[in-house]
Amino acid sequence: MEDYLFVSLCISIAVLILLKYSKLPNRFNYYLSNLAIVSWLIPYSFLAKLVPETALKQPLILAIYSTNSPQTVISHTQSNSVYDYYFLILFQLLIAIGVLILVKNILHFYRWKKQIISDPSFNVSRHLSTRYSAPVYISEHINNGLILGLFNPVIVVSNAISTSKYIDLIIAHEKQHLACKDNLKLFILEVTECLFWWNPIVKKLINYNRLFIEVNCDERASITYGIDNYTEKLADLILLNHQTITQPVPTVISTNKHNIYRVKRLKEKRKMTYKNKLICSLIIILSSALVSWNTLATATKDNDKTNQQLGAFIEIDMLISNQLQSDEQDTYQNKISLWTNFDEQVSFKTNDELSINLKAIDLGESVRLEYELIELQKGQQTVVESPKILVTLGKEAVVEIRNPDISKYNYYISTVTSKKLDPSLN
């Protein structure tokens, strides 16, 4: 979760700085703001599943702790950080609230749309539809022009301006919205803004993106309409209409701040300079590197969780005695704690003369331990004994080994076994 926030914040802050202080063409500003918004929506868990397992680093599975003197060995099983757990719960709660906000806004939009459509003043203008080769409706419930509808959009203009000198500009502007399917883009932005209602950076990026949608639409419409003529009439129309529409629909009139920005941008002639190309390239490379890094990091974590399973955590208390020629005994103790996957043989040494092979087989409520004690005698490895012990989980099982024909040592092995997750992945 921290990686997701880090990557998204880095990309968003870099883009916001670029949008504020650089003089990129509007089209590139639009794409950059899209890039930053998308960084918050990337499903890293899904992308991680596409990464082949061969590209992931496999973790060390076996963890062994040994000592030659009596000692208590404490094991730690894997557990999720409390911080991570509550952070994820909080994130899910915020998204759930965003879904409720989205439902409320959609219902409000459809009530508003129904109010316009059901009004007697809402009628198709055959004259304007034929003249501009587009479905044009008139209504008394709006005071400028807009696109109404998501999948079958139509142009709706105010009845008061349907015959005014601004009608050509309004229709030209809205036809560009139709051609670019800006109604769908604005709906997606509305969904994103609702889900990330708690995130001021996302809201700022969405605000920029809406502005660039309008500016790009102005630029395209002004090509055929004439830049100077379009700019002059847009400024007049802005002064004539101060009322803005809060619904997520493409309109010819935006907020006052955006309207001033739109007129200002139309008068500027921004070009993509070499410096701007270099900056944009660096931003794209940085964003791609961060997204790739987080995808691989997520894939590695998911792979660890997928491969992680219950194994055998075995605590061995071994007493080894050597019967000397006198009545004395040379005795020492080993305490060993290890974790291993079931059905996999592991090997470890207790000293220079003794090594042990061990396999744990899961039997449900018990585990069968298959030992193989190997002594190094005169440079040769000799199997002393291969005992098999059935251990009830959480209970102690004891085996005593005496084989004087092969070994001078006596072995007293006490074992306690439990099922745990791999502690090395903690």
Side-chain angles (χ1 to χ4, degrees), residues 167-237:
I167 190 63
D168 289 343
L169 179 145
I170 293 172
I171 298 298
H173 182 92
E174 300 305 332
K175 284 185 69 176
Q176 290 299 323
H177 278 311
L178 283 177
C180 296
K181 300 187 183 301
D182 289 336
N183 55 319
L184 292 175
K185 296 176 184 177
L186 290 175
F187 176 76
I188 293 173
L189 290 177
E190 178 72 14
V191 172
T192 305
E193 185 176 27
C194 289
L195 295 179
F196 290 88
W197 61 272
W198 45 273
N199 191 324
I201 294 179
V202 174
K203 292 175 72 72
K204 183 73 173 178
L205 289 167
I206 290 174
N207 193 38
Y208 266 122
N209 199 267
R210 286 182 177 137
L211 171 60
F212 295 134
I213 287 176
E214 292 298 332
V215 173
N216 288 334
C217 186
D218 288 332
E219 288 184 344
R220 289 189 298 268
S222 64
I223 293 175
T224 56
Y225 198 84
I227 294 179
D228 294 335
N229 191 25
Y230 185 93
T231 305
E232 180 182 350
K233 286 193 175 181
L234 178 61
D236 291 342
L237 186 60

XYZ file of all heavy atoms in Angstrom, residues 167-237:
593
model
N -24.804 31.349 -31.800
C -25.221 29.971 -32.026
C -24.190 29.184 -32.836
O -23.954 27.993 -32.583
C -26.611 29.926 -32.709
C -27.142 28.488 -32.724
C -26.548 30.526 -34.095
C -27.376 27.903 -31.373
N -23.537 29.846 -33.807
C -22.525 29.146 -34.597
C -21.359 28.682 -33.723
O -20.871 27.557 -33.862
C -21.999 30.060 -35.707
C -23.037 30.294 -36.794
O -24.003 29.514 -36.853
O -22.876 31.259 -37.581
N -20.932 29.567 -32.831
C -19.825 29.218 -31.930
C -20.225 28.079 -31.002
O -19.451 27.132 -30.794
C -19.409 30.451 -31.123
C -18.276 30.266 -30.108
C -17.420 31.514 -30.044
C -18.822 29.960 -28.709
N -21.415 28.162 -30.423
C -21.873 27.139 -29.469
C -21.968 25.778 -30.139
O -21.475 24.768 -29.618
C -23.231 27.547 -28.856
C -23.053 28.787 -27.973
C -23.822 26.396 -28.049
C -24.364 29.367 -27.474
N -22.563 25.731 -31.311
C -22.717 24.452 -32.008
C -21.353 23.907 -32.440
O -21.084 22.704 -32.325
C -23.646 24.600 -33.226
C -25.046 25.035 -32.773
C -23.722 23.292 -33.985
C -25.748 24.059 -31.875
N -20.479 24.807 -32.936
C -19.140 24.356 -33.338
C -18.383 23.752 -32.151
O -17.707 22.729 -32.277
C -18.352 25.527 -33.928
N -18.530 24.395 -30.987
C -17.870 23.910 -29.775
C -18.430 22.551 -29.352
O -17.675 21.604 -29.077
C -18.066 24.941 -28.655
C -17.381 24.572 -27.367
N -16.106 24.976 -27.073
C -17.807 23.834 -26.312
C -15.771 24.514 -25.884
N -16.790 23.816 -25.390
N -19.745 22.443 -29.315
C -20.371 21.193 -28.857
C -20.167 20.055 -29.851
O -20.071 18.891 -29.457
C -21.864 21.415 -28.599
C -22.188 22.465 -27.543
C -21.506 22.182 -26.207
O -21.235 21.003 -25.909
O -21.223 23.151 -25.475
N -20.080 20.353 -31.133
C -19.803 19.301 -32.117
C -18.404 18.714 -31.917
O -18.192 17.514 -32.151
C -19.947 19.861 -33.539
C -21.384 20.043 -33.983
C -21.466 20.490 -35.428
C -21.047 19.401 -36.396
N -21.214 19.804 -37.811
N -17.474 19.538 -31.478
C -16.139 19.020 -31.169
C -16.187 18.087 -29.960
O -15.495 17.066 -29.920
C -15.168 20.176 -30.911
C -14.821 20.994 -32.140
C -14.143 20.146 -33.211
O -13.357 19.256 -32.903
N -14.463 20.427 -34.474
N -17.032 18.448 -28.988
C -17.218 17.556 -27.832
C -17.780 16.209 -28.285
O -17.352 15.155 -27.802
C -18.163 18.201 -26.815
C -17.516 19.189 -25.904
N -16.347 18.918 -25.230
C -17.884 20.454 -25.543
C -16.010 19.964 -24.497
N -16.934 20.915 -24.680
N -18.745 16.246 -29.194
C -19.337 14.999 -29.694
C -18.293 14.161 -30.430
O -18.211 12.937 -30.246
C -20.509 15.304 -30.630
C -21.835 15.721 -29.994
C -22.853 16.058 -31.073
C -22.375 14.615 -29.098
N -17.499 14.828 -31.259
C -16.504 14.105 -32.063
C -15.458 13.433 -31.189
O -14.966 12.342 -31.518
C -15.831 15.059 -33.040
N -15.121 14.046 -30.077
C -14.083 13.506 -29.186
C -14.666 12.663 -28.055
O -13.906 12.186 -27.191
C -13.264 14.650 -28.592
S -12.347 15.586 -29.821
N -15.983 12.494 -28.050
C -16.660 11.730 -26.987
C -16.282 12.254 -25.603
O -16.002 11.490 -24.656
C -16.328 10.238 -27.102
C -16.759 9.627 -28.432
C -16.585 8.134 -28.446
C -16.952 7.543 -29.803
N -18.343 7.824 -30.198
N -16.289 13.578 -25.489
C -15.930 14.181 -24.210
C -16.957 13.906 -23.125
O -16.635 13.990 -21.930
C -15.747 15.696 -24.379
C -14.484 16.034 -25.157
O -13.565 15.199 -25.153
O -14.440 17.114 -25.775
N -18.194 13.590 -23.510
C -19.186 13.256 -22.501
C -18.786 11.999 -21.734
O -18.960 11.917 -20.506
C -20.566 13.067 -23.152
C -20.543 12.047 -24.274
O -19.616 12.007 -25.080
N -21.560 11.204 -24.345
N -18.208 11.010 -22.417
C -17.732 9.796 -21.745
C -16.504 10.099 -20.878
O -16.364 9.570 -19.770
C -17.383 8.731 -22.776
C -18.561 8.145 -23.560
C -18.058 7.188 -24.641
C -19.517 7.408 -22.633
N -15.612 10.952 -21.391
C -14.419 11.314 -20.621
C -14.799 12.017 -19.325
O -14.243 11.725 -18.254
C -13.512 12.223 -21.453
C -12.940 11.562 -22.703
C -12.138 12.560 -23.511
C -11.641 11.952 -24.814
N -10.920 12.945 -25.652
N -15.750 12.928 -19.403
C -16.170 13.655 -18.207
C -16.882 12.747 -17.221
O -16.781 12.929 -16.005
C -17.073 14.826 -18.599
C -16.367 15.979 -19.331
C -17.380 17.026 -19.767
C -15.314 16.615 -18.442
N -17.590 11.752 -17.728
C -18.249 10.802 -16.833
C -17.203 9.976 -16.074
O -17.335 9.746 -14.863
C -19.174 9.880 -17.623
C -19.818 8.814 -16.775
C -20.870 9.118 -15.924
C -19.356 7.504 -16.821
C -21.456 8.142 -15.128
C -19.934 6.516 -16.036
C -20.986 6.849 -15.191
N -16.157 9.548 -16.775
C -15.082 8.787 -16.122
C -14.392 9.653 -15.069
O -14.052 9.181 -13.973
C -14.074 8.286 -17.167
C -14.749 7.249 -18.077
C -12.849 7.678 -16.494
C -13.896 6.809 -19.251
N -14.177 10.924 -15.396
C -13.579 11.842 -14.417
C -14.479 12.010 -13.198
O -13.999 12.091 -12.063
C -13.316 13.204 -15.065
C -12.196 13.264 -16.114
C -12.115 14.658 -16.712
C -10.864 12.862 -15.501
N -15.791 12.051 -13.427
C -16.737 12.165 -12.320
C -16.667 10.941 -11.418
O -16.672 11.055 -10.188
C -18.161 12.334 -12.861
C -19.243 12.416 -11.801
C -19.223 13.721 -11.030
O -18.549 14.667 -11.478
O -19.900 13.799 -9.989
N -16.578 9.756 -12.013
C -16.462 8.519 -11.234
C -15.180 8.539 -10.401
O -15.186 8.233 -9.202
C -16.482 7.286 -12.165
C -16.171 6.020 -11.382
C -17.836 7.156 -12.846
N -14.077 8.928 -11.041
C -12.791 8.967 -10.342
C -12.802 9.977 -9.205
O -12.301 9.704 -8.109
C -11.666 9.316 -11.330
O -11.697 8.393 -12.427
C -10.312 9.245 -10.654
N -13.390 11.133 -9.450
C -13.437 12.164 -8.415
C -14.268 11.711 -7.223
O -13.920 12.006 -6.074
C -14.008 13.461 -8.988
C -13.971 14.616 -8.000
C -14.460 15.912 -8.609
O -15.264 15.857 -9.558
O -14.039 16.983 -8.147
N -15.353 11.001 -7.476
C -16.175 10.496 -6.374
C -15.418 9.459 -5.554
O -15.439 9.489 -4.324
C -17.468 9.897 -6.910
S -18.641 11.103 -7.555
N -14.741 8.532 -6.226
C -14.016 7.476 -5.515
C -12.847 8.034 -4.715
O -12.521 7.543 -3.627
C -13.509 6.430 -6.505
C -14.577 5.618 -7.248
C -13.926 4.634 -8.209
C -15.481 4.879 -6.274
N -12.213 9.096 -5.248
C -11.067 9.704 -4.566
C -11.449 11.068 -3.988
O -10.642 12.006 -4.018
C -9.890 9.836 -5.534
C -9.261 8.531 -5.908
C -9.737 7.800 -6.987
C -8.205 8.006 -5.181
C -9.172 6.582 -7.336
C -7.625 6.794 -5.521
C -8.113 6.076 -6.608
N -12.635 11.153 -3.436
C -13.139 12.414 -2.862
C -12.241 12.911 -1.738
O -12.194 14.108 -1.436
C -14.543 12.199 -2.322
C -14.598 11.156 -1.232
C -14.751 9.817 -1.390
C -14.483 11.379 0.181
N -14.732 9.173 -0.170
C -14.573 10.111 0.810
C -14.312 12.513 0.972
C -14.499 9.951 2.193
C -14.233 12.362 2.359
C -14.337 11.094 2.944
N -11.499 12.013 -1.129
C -10.650 12.319 0.020
C -9.250 12.756 -0.389
O -8.436 13.115 0.477
C -10.530 11.067 0.892
C -10.280 9.833 0.093
C -11.210 9.012 -0.475
C -9.009 9.306 -0.287
N -10.596 7.992 -1.171
C -9.259 8.146 -1.072
C -7.688 9.693 -0.042
C -8.217 7.376 -1.609
C -6.655 8.929 -0.578
C -6.946 7.778 -1.343
N -8.960 12.694 -1.687
C -7.601 12.939 -2.168
C -7.530 14.280 -2.890
O -7.970 14.397 -4.043
C -7.184 11.803 -3.113
C -5.708 11.823 -3.446
O -5.102 12.877 -3.580
N -5.123 10.645 -3.595
N -6.967 15.308 -2.274
C -6.925 16.636 -2.921
C -6.061 16.663 -4.175
O -6.302 17.461 -5.077
C -6.354 17.545 -1.824
C -5.607 16.627 -0.907
C -6.340 15.324 -0.944
N -5.047 15.807 -4.255
C -4.176 15.782 -5.434
C -4.941 15.262 -6.644
O -4.846 15.809 -7.748
C -2.935 14.924 -5.158
C -2.076 15.591 -4.083
C -2.117 14.723 -6.428
C -0.834 14.815 -3.709
N -5.725 14.200 -6.449
C -6.530 13.675 -7.546
C -7.569 14.701 -7.984
O -7.813 14.882 -9.188
C -7.209 12.350 -7.133
C -8.169 11.873 -8.210
C -6.157 11.272 -6.873
N -8.195 15.372 -7.042
C -9.190 16.398 -7.383
C -8.553 17.528 -8.179
O -9.152 18.050 -9.116
C -9.843 16.933 -6.091
C -10.706 15.917 -5.367
C -11.218 16.444 -4.049
C -12.293 17.489 -4.255
N -13.538 16.892 -4.734
N -7.322 17.898 -7.819
C -6.624 18.950 -8.545
C -6.319 18.498 -9.973
O -6.500 19.260 -10.937
C -5.317 19.274 -7.810
C -4.507 20.409 -8.422
C -5.154 21.746 -8.167
C -4.255 22.881 -8.618
N -4.892 24.208 -8.432
N -5.875 17.259 -10.124
C -5.573 16.721 -11.454
C -6.826 16.638 -12.316
O -6.797 16.947 -13.515
C -4.931 15.337 -11.319
C -3.509 15.293 -10.767
C -3.126 13.868 -10.398
C -2.512 15.862 -11.780
N -7.930 16.227 -11.720
C -9.196 16.138 -12.461
C -9.663 17.520 -12.882
O -10.179 17.712 -13.999
C -10.253 15.422 -11.604
C -9.896 13.935 -11.479
C -11.647 15.587 -12.204
C -10.797 13.162 -10.549
N -9.476 18.492 -12.022
C -9.852 19.861 -12.352
C -9.053 20.367 -13.555
O -9.597 20.996 -14.472
C -9.618 20.763 -11.142
C -10.281 22.116 -11.297
O -11.385 22.226 -11.835
N -9.617 23.163 -10.826
N -7.742 20.064 -13.545
C -6.895 20.408 -14.692
C -7.377 19.691 -15.949
O -7.447 20.269 -17.038
C -5.449 20.010 -14.410
C -4.594 21.110 -13.843
C -3.953 20.960 -12.612
C -4.389 22.296 -14.534
C -3.149 21.961 -12.080
C -3.599 23.304 -14.017
C -2.974 23.133 -12.792
O -2.195 24.135 -12.279
N -7.688 18.404 -15.824
C -8.080 17.604 -16.974
C -9.360 18.118 -17.611
O -9.467 18.192 -18.845
C -8.253 16.144 -16.544
C -8.207 15.183 -17.706
O -9.236 14.841 -18.268
N -7.014 14.752 -18.070
N -10.327 18.488 -16.796
C -11.567 19.071 -17.323
C -11.277 20.362 -18.086
O -11.866 20.627 -19.137
C -12.534 19.342 -16.172
C -13.185 18.083 -15.600
C -14.148 18.462 -14.506
N -14.837 17.293 -13.982
C -15.055 17.063 -12.696
N -14.612 17.931 -11.793
N -15.694 15.979 -12.301
N -10.377 21.152 -17.521
C -10.019 22.409 -18.180
C -9.380 22.144 -19.538
O -9.736 22.791 -20.540
C -9.065 23.198 -17.284
C -8.426 24.448 -17.904
C -9.490 25.454 -18.317
C -7.436 25.074 -16.924
N -8.469 21.196 -19.604
C -7.780 20.915 -20.867
C -8.720 20.301 -21.901
O -8.512 20.484 -23.109
C -6.575 20.015 -20.619
C -5.504 20.654 -19.786
C -4.910 19.967 -18.744
C -5.103 21.963 -20.031
C -3.931 20.562 -17.967
C -4.131 22.564 -19.270
C -3.531 21.867 -18.227
N -9.740 19.590 -21.453
C -10.752 19.084 -22.391
C -11.448 20.258 -23.082
O -11.649 20.256 -24.306
C -11.773 18.191 -21.662
C -11.142 16.841 -21.311
C -13.017 17.969 -22.523
C -12.045 15.933 -20.497
N -11.804 21.266 -22.316
C -12.464 22.446 -22.880
C -11.517 23.254 -23.765
O -11.898 23.723 -24.841
C -13.012 23.332 -21.759
C -14.158 22.723 -20.979
C -15.376 22.454 -21.841
O -15.576 23.167 -22.856
O -16.128 21.519 -21.516
N -10.268 23.413 -23.317
C -9.302 24.193 -24.101
C -9.012 23.508 -25.438
O -8.950 24.171 -26.495
C -7.998 24.391 -23.304
C -6.934 25.057 -24.175
C -8.256 25.243 -22.065
N -8.831 22.197 -25.400
C -8.588 21.465 -26.645
C -9.782 21.568 -27.582
O -9.622 21.668 -28.804
C -8.289 19.996 -26.341
C -6.921 19.802 -25.713
O -6.015 20.599 -25.918
N -6.766 18.740 -24.941
N -10.971 21.535 -27.001
C -12.187 21.679 -27.797
C -12.242 23.077 -28.435
O -12.606 23.231 -29.607
C -13.410 21.434 -26.924
S -14.970 21.424 -27.823
N -11.871 24.086 -27.657
C -11.825 25.453 -28.188
C -10.838 25.557 -29.349
O -11.132 26.189 -30.373
C -11.416 26.436 -27.080
C -12.523 26.656 -26.064
O -13.705 26.531 -26.433
O -12.194 26.932 -24.890
N -9.675 24.955 -29.180
C -8.657 25.050 -30.223
C -9.119 24.396 -31.519
O -8.911 24.938 -32.607
C -7.361 24.402 -29.729
C -6.628 25.214 -28.665
C -5.310 24.580 -28.276
O -5.110 23.383 -28.593
O -4.480 25.279 -27.668
N -9.733 23.233 -31.417
C -10.201 22.548 -32.626
C -11.343 23.309 -33.301
O -11.405 23.412 -34.525
C -10.640 21.124 -32.277
C -9.489 20.188 -31.923
C -9.983 18.758 -31.817
N -10.963 18.618 -30.752
C -10.676 18.292 -29.501
N -9.409 18.089 -29.153
N -11.621 18.170 -28.593
N -12.256 23.831 -32.479
C -13.389 24.568 -33.044
C -12.935 25.872 -33.693
O -13.495 26.307 -34.708
C -14.424 24.849 -31.960
N -11.900 26.497 -33.109
C -11.440 27.789 -33.628
C -10.699 27.656 -34.958
O -10.526 28.651 -35.664
C -10.532 28.471 -32.601
O -9.350 27.716 -32.396
N -10.253 26.444 -35.289
C -9.533 26.259 -36.556
C -10.435 26.565 -37.743
O -10.045 27.254 -38.693
C -8.975 24.823 -36.639
C -7.877 24.635 -35.585
C -8.434 24.540 -38.036
C -7.348 23.218 -35.513
N -11.653 26.050 -37.690
C -12.599 26.300 -38.791
C -13.386 27.597 -38.583
O -13.830 28.211 -39.547
C -13.579 25.120 -38.908
O -14.232 24.910 -37.650
C -12.847 23.852 -39.296
N -13.546 27.973 -37.329
C -14.337 29.169 -37.028
C -13.509 30.440 -37.165
O -14.047 31.520 -37.382
C -14.898 29.056 -35.609
C -16.043 29.975 -35.305
C -17.349 29.637 -35.648
C -15.820 31.193 -34.665
C -18.406 30.478 -35.358
C -16.868 32.042 -34.373
C -18.158 31.689 -34.723
O -19.212 32.525 -34.450
N -12.194 30.311 -37.036
C -11.323 31.491 -37.039
C -10.929 31.821 -35.611
O -11.814 32.087 -34.777
N -9.616 31.805 -35.302
C -9.166 31.965 -33.917
C -9.572 33.318 -33.336
O -10.118 33.405 -32.237
C -7.627 31.795 -33.842
C -7.247 30.353 -34.191
C -7.118 32.147 -32.445
C -5.759 30.102 -34.175
N -9.330 34.381 -34.072
C -9.657 35.707 -33.549
C -11.156 35.870 -33.356
O -11.607 36.375 -32.315
C -9.123 36.787 -34.494
C -7.601 36.800 -34.544
O -6.977 36.347 -33.565
O -7.042 37.260 -35.561
N -11.931 35.465 -34.343
C -13.380 35.573 -34.247
C -13.925 34.703 -33.116
O -14.806 35.111 -32.357
C -14.014 35.180 -35.583
C -15.494 35.515 -35.653
O -15.972 36.420 -34.954
N -16.235 34.784 -36.475
N -13.395 33.501 -32.997
C -13.855 32.570 -31.956
C -13.512 33.125 -30.574
O -14.350 33.096 -29.657
C -13.175 31.208 -32.158
C -13.674 30.128 -31.217
C -14.710 29.282 -31.578
C -13.088 29.946 -29.955
C -15.167 28.286 -30.727
C -13.534 28.961 -29.095
C -14.578 28.133 -29.486
O -15.037 27.162 -28.633
N -12.293 33.628 -30.405
C -11.870 34.157 -29.104
C -12.721 35.347 -28.694
O -13.142 35.479 -27.533
C -10.392 34.578 -29.155
O -9.606 33.471 -29.587
C -9.910 35.044 -27.802
N -12.989 36.234 -29.646
C -13.785 37.433 -29.349
C -15.209 37.061 -28.939
O -15.731 37.562 -27.935
C -13.804 38.342 -30.572
C -14.603 39.630 -30.368
C -14.639 40.489 -31.614
O -13.900 40.185 -32.581
O -15.429 41.468 -31.627
N -15.836 36.165 -29.692
C -17.223 35.792 -29.378
C -17.310 34.941 -28.106
O -18.288 35.037 -27.364
C -17.835 35.054 -30.558
C -18.167 35.968 -31.726
C -19.055 35.286 -32.736
C -19.485 36.259 -33.837
N -20.374 35.630 -34.830
N -16.281 34.110 -27.844
C -16.277 33.330 -26.605
C -16.191 34.256 -25.401
O -16.897 34.050 -24.398
C -15.092 32.351 -26.603
C -14.934 31.499 -25.334
C -16.154 30.611 -25.110
C -13.666 30.643 -25.414
N -15.353 35.294 -25.501
C -15.247 36.255 -24.400
C -16.573 36.986 -24.196
O -17.002 37.199 -23.056
C -14.126 37.254 -24.698
N -17.237 37.379 -25.285
C -18.547 38.039 -25.166
C -19.578 37.104 -24.541
O -20.392 37.517 -23.703
C -19.035 38.494 -26.546
C -18.196 39.631 -27.109
O -17.488 40.282 -26.310
O -18.237 39.847 -28.328
N -19.564 35.853 -24.950
C -20.528 34.883 -24.424
C -20.291 34.621 -22.941
O -21.241 34.461 -22.174
C -20.414 33.569 -25.205
C -21.447 32.481 -24.882
C -22.858 32.973 -25.165
C -21.159 31.212 -25.686
